[in-house]
Amino acid sequence: MRHLLGLLFLLTIAFTSCEGRKTQRQALSESIEEFKKTVHFETNVYIPETYLEQDVDTLMSNGFRVKIKTYADMSNAVRFSKIKDTINYQTYYRNFKFDISVTKDDKVIYNESFNKKKVNKAFNYNGNLVSGSDLHHFDRLAVLKSIQVNDDPSYTNMVLIDIMYAIPETDRYAIHRMFIDNRGKSNIVQVEVK
């Protein structure tokens, strides 16, 4: 009987001393999860970081002179967010404006300025395109990647300018070619979309 009372006493002590406390490891991991839910850090990155401007002046063998000026639109950017380890990374890709001026025989035959809104209209980037379309979201997310004079010698009476827009952080892009004839009339054709 004495052994039975001793066993009963030990079981009573064992059950009453276990109050369901957490181990230090469990407490630390729950504390970290709670911290992640309540504390948010945000970091903002702008690409390009500051105002950027570039001028290109090209004199072609067919007598045309092409001036292209590109410059960062400091009030218009595309934002991409990514959360990693409680830090919200906000990356802003600035849109670019560009001016194209073409002269022939010292006479300006074409002079236009383009911003994102005008590009959307000229390149048919619009919000009505269905998901899965090649140009879906180009109206909101695409930024100017490159613009350059195409020096194809077979075009003697016109200027060709290749313009590439791309969606940052993806492999999606669209290349358009602008044709400007010797009277200053322009036409834009989609060349490639990926």
Side-chain angles (χ1 to χ4, degrees), residues 17-33:
S17 67
C18 181
E19 31 181 271
R21 284 193 236 173
K22 300 173 189 164
T23 65
Q24 284 182 339
R25 186 179 193 152
Q26 288 173 326
L28 179 61
S29 115
E30 286 180 9
S31 177
I32 289 171
E33 289 303 315

Side-chain angles (χ1 to χ4, degrees), residues 12 48 52 65 173:
T12 306
L52 181 68
R65 183 177 195 156
Y173 65 87

Side-chain angles (χ1 to χ4, degrees), residues 1-15:
M1 180 90 168
R2 194 172 184 203
H3 290 294
L4 188 59
L5 281 174
L7 185 61
L8 185 62
F9 180 69
L10 284 173
L11 285 173
T12 306
I13 290 175
F15 282 121

Side-chain angles (χ1 to χ4, degrees), residues 9-175:
F9 180 69
L10 284 173
L11 285 173
T12 306
I13 290 175
F15 282 121
T16 58
S17 67
C18 181
E19 31 181 271
R21 284 193 236 173
K22 300 173 189 164
T23 65
Q24 284 182 339
R25 186 179 193 152
Q26 288 173 326
L28 179 61
S29 115
E30 286 180 9
S31 177
I32 289 171
E33 289 303 315
E34 187 65 30
F35 176 76
K36 284 182 178 180
K37 290 178 187 174
T38 59
V39 177
H40 299 287
F41 295 104
E42 187 171 289
T43 179
N44 295 321
V45 177
Y46 288 89
I47 299 174
E49 203 172 315
T50 59
Y51 180 77
L52 181 68
E53 181 176 310
Q54 182 177 9
D55 289 307
V56 175
D57 190 353
T58 307
L59 182 58
M60 302 178 68
S61 62
N62 59 7
F64 288 96
R65 183 177 195 156
V66 182
K67 293 181 183 181
I68 300 174
K69 177 181 178 179
T70 56
Y71 46 100
D73 186 350
M74 302 304 281
S75 62
N76 189 345
V78 176
R79 180 176 59 97
F80 284 85
S81 295
K82 188 178 350 178
I83 297 176
K84 184 179 178 187
D85 298 331
T86 73
I87 300 174
N88 186 1
Y89 294 95
Q90 302 276 342
T91 306
Y92 293 89
Y93 293 90
R94 297 189 199 275
N95 278 302
F96 281 83
K97 296 179 180 180
F98 57 94
D99 303 333
I100 299 174
S101 175
V102 178
T103 58
K104 175 77 172 172
D105 301 323
D106 295 326
K107 180 183 173 195
V108 176
I109 60 170
Y110 185 86
N111 192 17
E112 286 290 326
S113 295
F114 292 86
N115 59 16
K116 180 64 174 161
K117 185 176 180 180
K118 194 168 181 179
V119 166
N120 284 347
K121 184 176 179 183
F123 294 1
N124 292 322
Y125 298 159
N126 61 62
N128 299 332
L129 297 173
V130 295
S131 180
S133 165
D134 289 339
L135 298 175
H136 185 62
H137 291 309
F138 268 71
D139 61 316
R140 294 183 302 112
L141 301 177
V143 295
L144 181 68
K145 199 68 170 173
S146 71
I147 182 169
Q148 62 186 13
V149 176
N150 184 326
D151 59 355
D152 188 340
S154 61
Y155 292 94
T156 57
N157 290 328
M158 62 179 50
V159 172
L160 281 65
I161 300 173
D162 293 332
I163 304 167
M164 176 193 250
Y165 269 80
I167 297 179
E169 301 182 11
T170 71
D171 59 349
R172 296 184 59 208
Y173 65 87
I175 300 173

